[in-house]
Amino acid sequence: MGQPAPRPVSVAPSAPMTGTTSTDMSAGTTASAAEQACMGAGRERDLDVIGVVGSRSASDANGDASRDVMLRVRRNGAEIEVRCNYVSSTGLARIMLI
Protein backbone atom coordinates (compact mmCIF):
# COMPACT_ATOMS: atom_id res chain seq x y z
CA MET A 1 0.00 0.00 0.00
CA GLY A 2 1.22 3.49 -0.81
CA GLN A 3 1.70 6.34 1.57
CA PRO A 4 -1.26 8.76 1.74
CA ALA A 5 -0.62 12.20 0.31
CA PRO A 6 0.32 14.78 2.96
CA ARG A 7 -2.48 17.15 3.89
CA PRO A 8 -1.93 20.82 4.71
CA VAL A 9 -2.14 21.61 8.39
CA SER A 10 -2.83 24.98 9.96
CA VAL A 11 -1.02 25.47 13.25
CA ALA A 12 -1.11 28.62 15.34
CA PRO A 13 2.43 29.63 16.30
CA SER A 14 3.41 29.69 19.93
CA ALA A 15 5.81 32.56 19.33
CA PRO A 16 5.89 35.50 16.91
CA MET A 17 7.00 34.59 13.42
CA THR A 18 9.37 36.86 11.57
CA GLY A 19 11.10 36.83 8.22
CA THR A 20 9.99 36.61 4.64
CA THR A 21 9.13 33.94 2.15
CA SER A 22 11.05 35.75 -0.56
CA THR A 23 13.94 33.90 -2.15
CA ASP A 24 15.37 37.17 -3.52
CA MET A 25 18.06 38.06 -0.99
CA SER A 26 18.62 41.51 -2.54
CA ALA A 27 15.10 42.44 -1.46
CA GLY A 28 15.99 41.89 2.22
CA THR A 29 16.25 45.55 3.15
CA THR A 30 13.00 46.41 1.38
CA ALA A 31 11.28 43.38 2.89
CA SER A 32 12.39 44.36 6.38
CA ALA A 33 11.20 47.95 5.94
CA ALA A 34 7.87 46.71 4.55
CA GLU A 35 7.37 44.26 7.39
CA GLN A 36 8.17 46.87 10.05
CA ALA A 37 5.89 49.46 8.41
CA CYS A 38 3.05 46.95 8.09
CA MET A 39 3.37 45.82 11.70
CA GLY A 40 3.19 49.49 12.70
CA ALA A 41 0.13 50.04 10.48
CA GLY A 42 -1.59 47.08 12.12
CA ARG A 43 -0.88 48.42 15.59
CA GLU A 44 -2.19 51.86 14.56
CA ARG A 45 -5.48 50.10 13.68
CA ASP A 46 -5.54 48.65 17.21
CA LEU A 47 -4.72 45.13 16.03
CA ASP A 48 -2.70 42.84 18.30
CA VAL A 49 0.06 42.03 15.80
CA ILE A 50 1.67 38.68 16.56
CA GLY A 51 4.12 38.62 13.67
CA VAL A 52 4.80 38.36 9.97
CA VAL A 53 3.67 35.22 8.18
CA GLY A 54 5.41 36.10 4.90
CA SER A 55 5.89 38.71 2.24
CA ARG A 56 6.38 38.94 -1.50
CA SER A 57 7.32 41.54 -4.06
CA ALA A 58 4.44 43.13 -5.92
CA SER A 59 3.62 46.22 -7.95
CA ASP A 60 0.73 48.63 -7.69
CA ALA A 61 -1.62 49.72 -10.48
CA ASN A 62 0.96 52.27 -11.68
CA GLY A 63 3.71 49.67 -11.85
CA ASP A 64 5.51 51.08 -8.80
CA ALA A 65 7.38 48.58 -6.64
CA SER A 66 5.46 47.46 -3.59
CA ARG A 67 5.41 44.54 -1.20
CA ASP A 68 2.51 42.48 0.11
CA VAL A 69 3.02 41.44 3.72
CA MET A 70 0.82 38.90 5.48
CA LEU A 71 0.47 39.57 9.18
CA ARG A 72 -0.89 37.25 11.85
CA VAL A 73 -3.03 39.28 14.24
CA ARG A 74 -5.25 38.55 17.20
CA ARG A 75 -8.70 40.07 17.09
CA ASN A 76 -11.68 39.32 19.32
CA GLY A 77 -9.87 36.29 20.75
CA ALA A 78 -9.15 34.73 17.35
CA GLU A 79 -5.93 34.69 15.34
CA ILE A 80 -6.36 35.69 11.71
CA GLU A 81 -4.12 36.72 8.84
CA VAL A 82 -4.44 40.13 7.20
CA ARG A 83 -2.74 41.53 4.12
CA CYS A 84 -0.83 44.77 4.15
CA ASN A 85 0.54 46.56 1.10
CA TYR A 86 3.70 48.64 1.42
CA VAL A 87 4.65 51.04 -1.41
CA SER A 88 8.41 51.50 -1.47
CA SER A 89 8.47 54.93 -3.10
CA THR A 90 6.13 56.53 -0.55
CA GLY A 91 6.82 54.36 2.50
CA LEU A 92 3.04 53.99 2.91
CA ALA A 93 1.75 50.79 4.52
CA ARG A 94 -1.97 50.00 4.23
CA ILE A 95 -3.88 47.19 5.91
CA MET A 96 -5.94 45.67 3.10
CA LEU A 97 -8.24 43.18 4.84
CA ILE A 98 -9.72 43.06 8.31
Side-chain angles (χ1 to χ4, degrees), residues 17 19 34-43 47-55 68-74 79-85 93-97:
M17 295 187 301
E35 291 167 4
Q36 292 299 316
C38 283
M39 288 182 7
R43 289 183 184 114
L47 297 173
D48 182 9
V49 179
I50 298 168
V52 175
V53 176
S55 66
D68 283 338
V69 177
M70 292 301 294
L71 299 173
R72 183 174 305 277
V73 302
R74 190 173 293 123
E79 288 186 12
I80 60 174
E81 291 180 9
V82 296
R83 183 171 67 103
C84 173
N85 181 262
R94 295 179 299 157
I95 300 295
M96 305 302 286
L97 299 173

Side-chain angles (χ1 to χ4, degrees), residues 9-95:
V9 177
S10 176
V11 178
S14 58
M17 295 187 301
T18 60
T20 68
T21 58
S22 173
T23 57
D24 180 5
M25 297 307 285
S26 65
T29 302
T30 302
S32 179
E35 291 167 4
Q36 292 299 316
C38 283
M39 288 182 7
R43 289 183 184 114
E44 287 175 6
R45 305 249 342 232
D46 293 325
L47 297 173
D48 182 9
V49 179
I50 298 168
V52 175
V53 176
S55 66
R56 67 176 179 88
S57 296
S59 59
D60 64 11
N62 299 328
D64 294 331
S66 67
R67 192 154 192 94
D68 283 338
V69 177
M70 292 301 294
L71 299 173
R72 183 174 305 277
V73 302
R74 190 173 293 123
R75 185 171 187 205
N76 298 329
E79 288 186 12
I80 60 174
E81 291 180 9
V82 296
R83 183 171 67 103
C84 173
N85 181 262
Y86 173 79
V87 179
S88 304
S89 62
T90 63
L92 179 65
R94 295 179 299 157
I95 300 295

